[in-house]
Amino acid sequence: MLVQDRTLPKSPKSQIRTSSHRFSDSKSLDFSTWVRDNLFKIVTVLLLIATIAALSFLRNFTDTASLIQSKSQEHSPNAIPLPVINWNSIQPIADKSSVYSRFRSEKWIVVSVDRYPTDSLKKLVKIKGWQVLAIGNSRTPKNWNLKGAIFLSLDMQANLGFRVLDFLPYDSYVRKSCGYLFAIQHGAKKIFDADDRGDVIGDDLGKHFDVELVGEGARQETILQYSHENPNRTIVNPYVHFGQRSVWPRGLPLENVGEISHEEFYTEVFGGKQFIQQGISNGLPDVDSVFYFTRKPSLEAFDIRFDDRAPKVALPQGMMVPVNSFNTIYQSSAFWALMLPVSVSTMASDVLRGFWGQRLLWEIGGYVVVYPPTVHRYDKIEAYPFSEEKDLHVNVGRLIKFLVSWRSNKHRFFEKVLELSHSMAEEGFWTERDVKFTAAWLQDLIAVGYQQPRLMSLELDRPRASIGHGDRKEFVPRKLPSVHLGVEETGTVSYEIGNLIRWRKNFGNVVLIMFCSGPVERTALEWRLLYGRIFKTVIILSEQKNEDLAVEAGQLEQVYRHLPKIFSRYTSAEGFLFLQDDTILNYWNLLQADKNKLWITDKVSKSWSTVSPNGKSDWYSKQAEMVKEVVSTMPVHFQVNYKEAIRSDQSLIICSSELFYIPQHLAADFVDLVNLVGNVQLHYKVAIPMFFVSMDSPHNFDSVFSTMVYKRKPPTNSSTFYSAQAPAVHPWNVSSEQDFIKLIRIMAEGDPLLMELF
């Protein structure tokens, strides 16, 4: 109708004629004339049809899009959305509520307080040129006060207007995130992240730290840097560089604690971009609960000293170091990296922050530098239980690998920051809560006036320059005395470390496959801690899969079926050593064994025996029949070997198979034999010895296990049963951390450094 209303009006004469003659005179039915006379009607109808078609199409398109989205959600029920931020519409946040609204300072010390001011904190407020900011929580005394310090109670924090406050727990030191924003809002250019039980050595943060990076106070110098020659080396223990090779920092993967040799050589880097500066702490350094609880038998305070004359050392891109929240300086270019995640345990928060921040630091051309002792922290004879750190120990190695391989195509730095937080949540390193927290943190940074850094090209993606002889810099760390279980080190430690290096060199390319029948949640990490120092890697199998502890599912009765998959994952390994958790391996007695031969307990009479199924239970008869079935399908070389070893068809080899070794060159044969078994339900105590004698003659087996201590039942006195001179000891029960510590103290007879590392 609207189209008709828009037509030109007819002449009055025509209108009158039409009204007086309802039936007009007949006209020619010529088609062109009809089209001309009805053109407006035709156009109207066509437009209506087109409109209806368009509406129908849009409706179907919307339904289809909804269906696609629904299907997508069905496939990704736990998908974590990436927050969308309009960076240009963030409104400034000014301090209008506190009495410090007009106060400005460039250098801040931020601490969390949950008790009355300590002597160390009272010393911090006297450091010239630095402003102390104390952040309260729900445990802080209501009347907390310290002259010279700014104290932000929970009530004062709530009035600051920061977005992050919606995410911060009330009873945790991670509320320091609010304090960082307050300091930035009030002019901060450097922030010293500290705690209230450390004394700054010499009361001068500039004694070792590079407080100034530019200007008159800056040190214009090159800095020693770890070599990037090995691209697979992604984590280092900085304590070795500063003279304490037997101590490791909280956050170091436990499989790396055995890497105690000093650097073959270093390189150098120009100073000026050490935006994160990690200090070493004398007294009680930053150590984990594994170290803390297994290093001393009594309530005796630590007083560990590091080399204050060792040079500071930088980390190249691709290599990381644990960074903590109580002895670290952040320059303004790295203020974004101060965010303490809220969805992980407090013992993991600053460590995860440190690795997350280091990866992003590479995007702006910055790096971390570790400094000689800057603080003396006092041991209060208290530490978190191991269970509080278990997820940290499990995930940190995987996190480092993930971070080094992570890449982003975003064009703004804060977009990369948010994307990495999102990727870490998707990988399970923290939760969606920290993705939202990151979005709030970044918006708050902009709101308090922080300018995000400019992106730089990532050096990791460039071809690495070869390190010439002239570029190599040498530094040999001092070997300072340390305390382990209350016993001072002596000169023999060099010999002991030499042994550890020899063992690692010998077995560093051998994969240890361990089957745990005991509770893996209590022992899996401990076994990795013990054997991970020696072997290439430790694969743990158990009846119950545990992804958090990286324990793979396996059935002991047919454990051989799980080995081919492991073989395929480590094609460059020299060999594979299988071990059950009821058997202790004295690795120091295996150096003489030939890694090109098969090892098994064929010379241990109580472990290996040949029996006749006749007169035995049905189980033996059924197993014997299954062996005959498999042997009949063997290729000639397997069958000949087997029948030479087993002269009678009526004989059956039984081996307890707690311990055996397969060299790489025979791994394919083992896989072929497993495939020959197929669906036959052959027990592992029958299958393993059958495989071994089929692969090679028993005369060619290495007899390294022939002198192992082997009993069928555990003795009443395990301490006298154990022998450090035997290659292995069976049986031995480890079902708790206490059992593990007891075992370590006994094994230290053969490996004294266990007293240092456990």
Side-chain angles (χ1 to χ4, degrees):
M1 292 179 65
L2 292 175
V3 177
Q4 291 177 334
D5 289 343
R6 292 192 188 107
T7 60
L8 294 173
K10 297 181 180 180
S11 65
K13 182 178 179 180
S14 175
Q15 291 178 4
I16 295 172
R17 187 179 63 207
T18 303
S19 60
S20 61
H21 299 283
R22 183 171 183 178
F23 298 101
S24 61
D25 296 336
S26 62
K27 297 181 180 179
S28 172
L29 295 178
D30 178 73
F31 181 77
S32 61
T33 302
W34 179 86
V35 170
R36 184 179 63 252
D37 293 344
N38 295 277
L39 178 60
F40 295 117
K41 295 180 180 179
I42 293 171
V43 171
T44 300
V45 172
L46 290 175
L47 285 172
L48 286 171
I49 293 172
T51 302
I52 294 170
L55 290 172
S56 176
F57 172 78
L58 288 173
R59 181 178 179 182
N60 291 335
F61 178 82
T62 303
D63 292 344
T64 303
S66 300
L67 179 62
I68 292 172
Q69 183 179 10
S70 175
K71 292 292 184 183
S72 175
Q73 290 174 350
E74 287 177 9
H75 289 293
S76 303
N78 297 319
I80 298 174
L82 179 66
V84 178
I85 300 174
N86 186 345
W87 303 103
N88 297 320
S89 64
I90 298 171
Q91 297 299 313
I93 298 177
D95 180 8
K96 299 178 181 179
S97 61
S98 78
V99 297
Y100 311 106
S101 58
R102 302 182 64 182
F103 177 80
R104 295 292 182 273
S105 178
E106 291 191 352
K107 294 183 285 188
W108 291 73
I109 300 173
V110 180
V111 299
S112 173
V113 293
D114 53 14
R115 54 188 168 181
Y116 288 109
T118 62
D119 291 339
S120 295
L121 190 54
K122 293 175 182 177
K123 293 178 182 178
L124 281 179
V125 298
K126 296 179 180 179
I127 296 179
K128 186 178 180 180
W130 291 80
Q131 175 59 52
V132 171
L133 175 62
I135 307 301
N137 56 53
S138 59
R139 299 193 301 269
T140 309
K142 298 295 183 182
N143 59 342
W144 197 97
N145 182 62
L146 177 61
K147 184 179 180 180
I150 294 176
F151 172 59
L152 294 182
S153 66
L154 285 177
D155 291 339
M156 294 178 69
Q157 295 170 38
N159 292 325
L160 294 174
F162 298 144
R163 296 169 179 83
V164 298
L165 291 167
D166 293 335
F167 300 90
L168 299 176
Y170 287 101
D171 62 345
S172 171
Y173 80 93
V174 302
R175 297 196 69 85
K176 290 171 80 174
S177 293
C178 173
Y180 306 141
L181 290 169
F182 182 89
I184 296 168
Q185 187 183 52
H186 290 78
K189 302 298 182 186
K190 305 101 173 36
I191 292 178
F192 179 47
D193 207 9
D195 70 359
D196 64 353
R197 64 172 178 176
D199 292 349
V200 174
I201 296 174
D203 296 324
D204 181 9
L205 285 171
K207 182 178 181 180
H208 287 303
F209 282 127
D210 292 314
V211 176
E212 303 296 337
L213 296 184
V214 294
E216 295 182 359
R219 299 184 180 109
Q220 303 297 329
E221 59 184 0
T222 56
I223 302 173
L224 211 62
Q225 179 179 255
Y226 286 102
S227 166
H228 61 257
E229 185 177 52
N230 180 4
N232 296 319
R233 189 184 185 198
T234 56
I235 184 73
V236 293
N237 178 358
Y239 292 173
V240 176
H241 177 85
F242 294 97
Q244 289 290 358
R245 59 211 174 281
S246 59
V247 187
W248 66 89
R250 178 172 54 96
L252 187 77
L254 294 181
E255 60 265 29
N256 295 101
V257 300
E259 299 173 2
I260 59 176
S261 57
H262 67 78
E263 301 299 305
E264 181 180 349
F265 63 89
Y266 296 80
T267 58
E268 287 184 331
V269 64
F270 288 107
K273 292 190 175 182
Q274 55 269 43
F275 300 146
I276 299 179
Q277 304 176 16
Q278 176 64 64
I280 296 290
S281 301
N282 278 338
L284 176 63
D286 185 23
V287 295
D288 59 27
S289 60
V290 176
F291 180 92
Y292 192 92
F293 283 123
T294 59
R295 284 288 302 272
K296 54 189 179 184
S298 60
L299 295 179
E300 177 184 345
F302 274 123
D303 188 12
I304 299 173
R305 302 301 175 105
F306 292 87
D307 184 5
D308 60 358
R309 291 177 290 176
K312 58 193 174 188
V313 59
L315 282 296
Q317 290 192 14
M319 188 179 294
M320 295 187 174
V321 67
V323 173
N324 60 50
S325 60
F326 56 77
N327 187 16
T328 313
I329 283 185
Y330 284 77
Q331 298 285 342
S332 59
S333 294
F335 279 174
W336 49 267
L338 283 161
M339 182 194 81
L340 287 163
V342 295
S343 67
V344 297
S345 69
T346 54
M347 290 300 290
S349 182
D350 58 342
V351 172
L352 267 63
R353 174 187 76 170
F355 290 128
W356 169 83
Q358 285 176 80
R359 174 59 188 86
L360 290 165
L361 200 61
W362 303 341
E363 300 287 344
I364 60 173
Y367 49 84
V368 174
V369 170
V370 185
Y371 290 77
T374 53
V375 162
H376 186 103
R377 294 179 77 235
Y378 296 95
D379 184 6
K380 303 298 183 182
I381 321 294
E382 59 187 17
Y384 288 92
F386 182 80
S387 58
E388 289 291 322
E389 296 178 347
K390 191 162 286 190
D391 60 335
L392 173 64
H393 292 305
V394 170
N395 286 323
V396 70
R398 185 170 66 91
L399 171 62
I400 293 167
K401 292 178 182 177
F402 165 77
L403 290 173
V404 172
S405 64
W406 179 82
R407 296 293 184 274
S408 171
N409 294 321
K410 299 294 185 182
H411 300 295
R412 298 179 65 167
F413 179 63
F414 275 9
E415 290 177 349
K416 287 181 181 283
V417 174
L418 186 58
E419 184 180 37
L420 179 55
S421 289
H422 179 260
S423 298
M424 286 177 60
E426 290 190 321
E427 292 293 325
F429 298 114
W430 54 39
T431 72
E432 183 181 1
R433 183 172 177 81
D434 271 315
V435 181
K436 296 177 179 178
F437 182 56
T438 304
W441 167 258
L442 296 176
Q443 291 177 85
D444 282 343
L445 281 174
I446 293 175
V448 297
Y450 183 73
Q451 299 292 322
Q452 58 178 306
R454 294 178 58 185
L455 290 169
M456 304 282 286
S457 60
L458 195 64
E459 293 180 11
L460 277 180
D461 294 333
R462 304 178 195 165
R464 296 222 173 188
S466 59
I467 302 173
H469 182 74
D471 299 323
R472 301 186 176 202
K473 306 299 177 182
E474 290 188 359
F475 170 72
V476 179
R478 296 171 62 193
K479 295 180 179 179
L480 299 178
S482 64
V483 178
H484 55 89
L485 296 172
V487 181
E488 289 292 331
E489 262 186 6
T490 65
T492 59
V493 73
S494 298
Y495 170 77
E496 294 161 359
I497 291 176
N499 281 338
L500 181 62
I501 293 172
R502 284 196 301 123
W503 302 332
R504 177 70 184 182
K505 185 176 181 180
N506 192 70
F507 296 110
N509 201 25
V510 172
V511 175
L512 179 66
I513 305 169
M514 193 164 188
F515 191 93
C516 285
S517 299
V520 292
E521 66 277 4
R522 299 179 184 174
T523 59
L525 290 175
E526 285 81 351
W527 289 125
R528 283 200 177 94
L529 186 59
L530 171 60
Y531 294 124
R533 307 156 56 238
I534 307 299
F535 294 94
K536 178 183 181 71
T537 191
V538 179
I539 305 295
I540 296 184
L541 303 175
S542 182
E543 299 285 343
Q544 296 294 325
K545 183 178 181 179
N546 190 320
E547 292 184 353
D548 292 337
L549 296 175
V551 175
E552 302 177 23
Q555 301 297 320
L556 181 58
E557 288 191 359
Q558 296 182 353
V559 69
Y560 55 88
R561 297 185 187 276
H562 303 284
L563 303 188
K565 291 182 180 179
I566 298 174
F567 294 172
S568 66
R569 280 152 49 188
Y570 297 95
T571 55
S572 62
E574 283 186 88
F576 304 88
L577 183 62
F578 178 84
L579 177 69
Q580 291 187 42
D581 65 347
D582 62 352
T583 303
I584 303 306
L585 186 69
N586 292 339
Y587 40 82
W588 53 86
N589 292 322
L590 304 181
L591 294 179
Q592 75 279 13
D594 189 341
K595 295 197 294 292
N596 290 314
K597 292 185 177 182
L598 293 166
W599 313 349
I600 199 167
T601 54
D602 61 309
K603 300 294 194 298
V604 182
S605 59
K606 293 180 181 178
S607 173
W608 179 291
S609 61
T610 303
V611 300
S612 174
N614 298 328
K616 298 282 186 179
S617 65
D618 289 343
W619 184 87
Y620 287 93
S621 299
K622 291 178 180 178
Q623 291 292 313
E625 289 300 319
M626 286 188 276
V627 168
K628 290 180 182 179
E629 179 184 344
V630 174
V631 171
S632 67
T633 63
M634 286 181 179
V636 59
H637 57 291
F638 289 148
Q639 195 169 137
V640 167
N641 285 341
Y642 179 83
K643 291 186 175 179
E644 283 185 357
I646 306 299
R647 297 295 182 179
S648 171
D649 291 341
Q650 303 301 315
S651 298
L652 183 68
I653 303 178
I654 303 292
C655 179
S656 55
S657 303
E658 296 95 356
L659 183 63
F660 57 84
Y661 170 82
I662 302 166
Q664 180 66 257
H665 72 93
L666 291 177
D669 286 352
F670 188 94
V671 173
D672 290 342
L673 289 164
V674 172
N675 292 334
L676 286 175
V677 172
N679 295 326
V680 176
Q681 300 300 303
L682 205 58
H683 197 276
Y684 82 99
K685 291 185 178 181
V686 176
I688 296 299
M690 180 190 75
F691 293 167
F692 268 62
V693 298
S694 300
M695 288 188 288
D696 201 358
S697 168
H699 297 296
N700 295 328
F701 294 174
D702 195 291
S703 59
V704 64
F705 295 139
S706 61
T707 57
M708 74 175 288
V709 175
Y710 194 98
K711 304 289 184 183
R712 289 198 172 96
K713 294 182 179 180
T716 54
N717 189 348
S718 58
S719 59
T720 58
F721 168 63
Y722 177 83
S723 171
Q725 286 70 46
V729 177
H730 174 88
W732 197 278
N733 177 57
V734 176
S735 58
S736 67
E737 294 173 16
Q738 290 72 26
D739 291 340
F740 182 75
I741 293 172
K742 179 181 177 182
L743 170 64
I744 291 308
R745 290 174 177 167
I746 294 176
M747 289 182 69
E749 180 183 349
D751 181 1
L753 276 184
L754 286 174
M755 303 295 276
E756 280 287 332
L757 296 174
F758 295 90

